[in-house]
Amino acid sequence: MANKILVGPLLGLESESLYTFCLLTDRSVSSVKVMTDAGELVANAVGDTPRGKFWRAEGSFAAKPLYQKITYQVKLDNEIAADGQARDAWTFYVPGQNEKPLLAYASCNGFSTFDLRNKTDDPYRLWREMAQSHARIPYSLLLMGGDQLYADSVWNDVTTLKKWGELSRKRKVAQAASKEMLGQLERFYERIYRERWADPDMSLMLASVPSVMMWDDHDIFDGWGSYPKDLHECDVYQAIFGVARRYFELFQMRTKANHSLLNPSAEHYGFAFTFRGYHILALDNRAERTLTQVMSEQQWSDINTYLSKTVQGGDLLVLSAVPVIYRDFSFTESVFDTTPWSEELTDDLKDHWRAKEHQGERARLIMRLLDNTKARQQHGKYRTLLLSGDVHLGCLGVINDNRAGANVKIHQVVSSGIVHPAPSRIAWIGIMAVTNDDDEFLNEEHTIRISMLKPFSSDKYIRSRNYVSLKEGTDEKLWVNWLCEQKDHPAYPLES
């Protein structure tokens, strides 16, 4: 079988019934077709990379009374093609009309350093366990909340950037990105998508479960959007961002043709759609991030417009890559703001929602989601759940709103990371020493309280690699289960 798929297939979902099939092929390929049980889908070439062409096909698979298992194959120039594991057929699960779907959520799919990677036994263990679990009880949707790639090696692998890094700050800011640098960046991002997504179990899951993805900083490089203004806006930083953005748009967003985008003409990639009773909203906290904002006014307007239309029916799942509810770093931040080392720690401290520059915007997000939750609960018992990653730990938080005697709650589940290891015991002791998780009050009357909770069968913080499954049980609770490497089996039921 001569024809090989370079990356993919990547199965996606953009509405209740619209599935997408994307893949990267060699540049010599002139036609791609996806052969499904329901018929043939013709793919369009929607992007080029140094070595290949990126293709996208769409197909509608409406829910039926009973579940469906759809098998598909890919033809390149009318010949059946295989992926890097010599697989030439894949099957995905479409839940029945009244079925409560099983969802998965994961983040932090890689390593921040090569040293960490070398010290990690069985890096893709949880992807293998997810694939084994999927074979027994299939997932209907995989939500991925950021850091799908880990591109931090860009500073060493791209030779022109390595030389640029040796310049003085003044010369760095003044220097333009050369044509040679842009070419090297193109080859770098293409290569790491090909390499990092090639694991047998991960690639099987991405071909067999529809996924939706929102990026975080490591999909660009560590701390993007939280650097000083002169660096953030300099030509080289913007060049890196531009190339990383193009590859994110292809491989993760599956192009600007994505039907779930809140505003295809905007600079941000916020998206939303409904699926089997869930409203799924992803916040883009990177495309327009600076030291003084997380999301632009345009994105805020698009989010508010969407939320105003979702006041009836369904649970709301909100993807926010960085946790909205987490430990308080404000004391540490205030100390470093007065020292010469503040710049070096910008991406670690300023990247959090609770950084002082972002606290007002965080409060705005919380209040908007509380208002939406209250409006939806006038029509039934519906939940709001924030899904986050980033911190390399699993944990659980809650916002309690008791204004005017109301009882409105928003929970947050953090799952992180499916590949990236948790902090070492010593590192975690250090984090706890300079932070706190005391209850926080968002208003003067202390009627909006934000707290960290302890999952069942677990410590408060799950210091182990993990991913999460979500499913509504027969008890009408939304059960959150952290699937971990460790012996514990953390779980928590979210009541409506």
Side-chain angles (χ1 to χ4, degrees), residues 118-419:
N118 292 336
K119 292 179 179 177
T120 302
D121 292 332
D122 203 356
Y124 296 98
R125 170 183 168 178
L126 289 182
W127 279 112
R128 183 171 66 253
E129 293 183 2
M130 184 192 286
Q132 292 168 350
S133 176
H134 175 68
R136 295 189 298 270
I137 304 174
Y139 291 100
S140 296
L141 178 63
L142 171 59
L143 305 162
M144 298 194 71
D147 297 338
Q148 277 72 251
L149 194 63
Y150 279 85
D152 305 313
S153 60
V154 67
W155 299 107
N156 288 318
D157 291 359
V158 175
T159 56
T160 50
L161 275 183
K162 195 171 182 178
K163 292 178 181 178
W164 180 84
E166 297 170 355
L167 301 175
S168 67
R169 173 73 164 266
K170 183 177 180 180
R171 290 181 64 192
K172 283 179 182 177
V173 170
Q175 183 166 308
S178 66
K179 185 177 180 180
E180 181 185 13
M181 180 183 288
L182 292 172
Q184 290 178 357
L185 287 168
E186 286 276 347
R187 292 189 290 274
F188 169 80
Y189 281 98
E190 179 193 50
R191 176 177 60 80
I192 59 173
Y193 271 100
R194 291 185 60 182
E195 292 177 356
R196 309 286 168 82
W197 288 15
D199 173 74
D201 297 299
M202 177 170 56
S203 60
L204 176 62
M205 291 303 293
L206 294 181
S208 306
V209 180
S211 61
V212 297
M213 304 180 183
M214 179 51 75
W215 61 353
D216 202 20
D217 56 336
H218 291 282
D219 296 299
I220 308 159
F221 61 79
D222 185 23
W224 172 259
S226 297
Y227 285 92
K229 181 180 174 68
D230 62 337
L231 280 175
H232 180 80
E233 294 182 354
C234 79
D235 197 60
V236 170
Y237 265 44
Q238 289 297 316
I240 301 170
F241 173 69
V243 177
R245 177 191 188 118
R246 195 170 84 82
Y247 280 82
F248 163 76
E249 190 175 291
L250 285 177
F251 287 92
Q252 298 193 42
M253 196 53 53
R254 320 289 156 80
T255 80
K256 278 279 191 171
N258 190 316
H259 295 269
S260 67
L261 287 168
L262 292 174
N263 185 345
S265 63
E267 292 296 309
H268 69 82
Y269 291 93
F271 66 83
F273 63 99
T274 58
F275 180 69
R276 300 300 192 275
Y278 292 103
H279 299 286
I280 298 169
L281 169 64
L283 311 177
D284 183 352
N285 294 163
R286 287 298 160 185
E288 300 165 311
R289 189 186 191 99
T290 68
L291 277 176
T292 57
Q293 73 170 30
V294 178
M295 297 183 290
S296 68
E297 284 302 317
Q298 179 62 64
Q299 184 172 179
W300 270 107
S301 175
D302 295 333
I303 290 168
N304 288 336
T305 298
Y306 176 77
L307 289 175
S308 69
K309 298 176 182 177
T310 59
V311 294
Q312 295 188 23
D315 291 345
L316 175 63
L317 307 181
V318 181
L319 275 65
S320 172
V322 176
V324 176
I325 307 167
Y326 193 55
R327 299 182 67 87
D328 183 9
F329 286 77
S330 60
F331 172 74
T332 309
E333 182 185 14
S334 66
V335 170
F336 282 113
D337 274 348
T338 61
T339 73
W341 306 291
S342 61
E343 182 183 306
E344 296 177 13
L345 292 166
T346 289
D347 62 310
D348 293 320
L349 298 176
K350 303 299 185 183
D351 228 36
H352 285 269
W353 268 109
R354 294 188 73 171
K356 65 181 181 182
E357 293 87 354
H358 302 317
Q359 288 175 5
E361 192 171 355
R362 172 179 178 259
R364 178 182 182 183
L365 175 63
I366 291 171
M367 299 302 285
R368 188 68 186 88
L369 292 177
L370 285 171
D371 289 346
N372 176 266
T373 305
K374 187 175 181 179
R376 281 185 295 113
Q377 288 182 348
Q378 293 176 0
H379 301 276
K381 297 180 178 180
Y382 300 118
R383 291 163 285 243
T384 298
L385 176 61
L386 287 157
L387 293 168
S388 297
D390 181 71
V391 293
H392 306 151
L393 296 161
C395 56
L396 176 69
V398 65
I399 304 167
N400 283 281
D401 181 3
N402 292 304
R403 289 174 295 172
N407 183 23
V408 178
K409 292 184 179 181
I410 295 174
H411 285 90
Q412 176 187 268
V413 167
V414 173
S415 175
S416 172
I418 191 169
V419 171

Side-chain angles (χ1 to χ4, degrees), residues 8-153:
L10 305 171
L11 183 65
L13 184 67
E14 297 179 5
S15 76
E16 189 74 48
S17 58
L18 182 64
Y19 290 74
T20 60
F21 306 79
C22 293
L23 59 150
L24 183 71
T25 70
D26 187 88
R27 293 177 69 90
S28 64
V29 173
S30 59
S31 71
V32 173
K33 296 176 183 177
V34 178
M35 317 302 293
T36 78
D37 292 342
E40 175 184 291
L41 305 174
V42 177
N44 295 313
V46 291
D48 292 311
T49 69
R51 289 195 56 185
K53 289 181 184 178
F54 196 85
W55 302 80
R56 172 188 165 99
E58 300 178 1
S60 181
F61 299 89
K64 295 182 178 180
L66 296 177
Y67 70 83
Q68 306 167 70
K69 289 188 176 181
I70 307 294
T71 298
Y72 70 97
Q73 292 184 293
V74 175
K75 282 187 176 181
L76 306 184
D77 294 334
N78 293 315
E79 292 185 8
I80 296 295
D83 65 9
Q85 309 301 321
R87 295 180 292 233
D88 64 1
W90 304 267
T91 300
F92 63 96
Y93 183 86
V94 180
Q97 288 174 344
N98 298 315
E99 182 179 344
K100 299 294 185 182
L102 178 62
L103 312 180
Y105 175 82
S107 70
C108 299
N109 180 46
F111 299 95
S112 51
T113 68
F114 281 113
D115 180 62
L116 199 58
R117 181 175 184 173
N118 292 336
K119 292 179 179 177
T120 302
D121 292 332
D122 203 356
Y124 296 98
R125 170 183 168 178
L126 289 182
W127 279 112
R128 183 171 66 253
E129 293 183 2
M130 184 192 286
Q132 292 168 350
S133 176
H134 175 68
R136 295 189 298 270
I137 304 174
Y139 291 100
S140 296
L141 178 63
L142 171 59
L143 305 162
M144 298 194 71
D147 297 338
Q148 277 72 251
L149 194 63
Y150 279 85
D152 305 313
S153 60

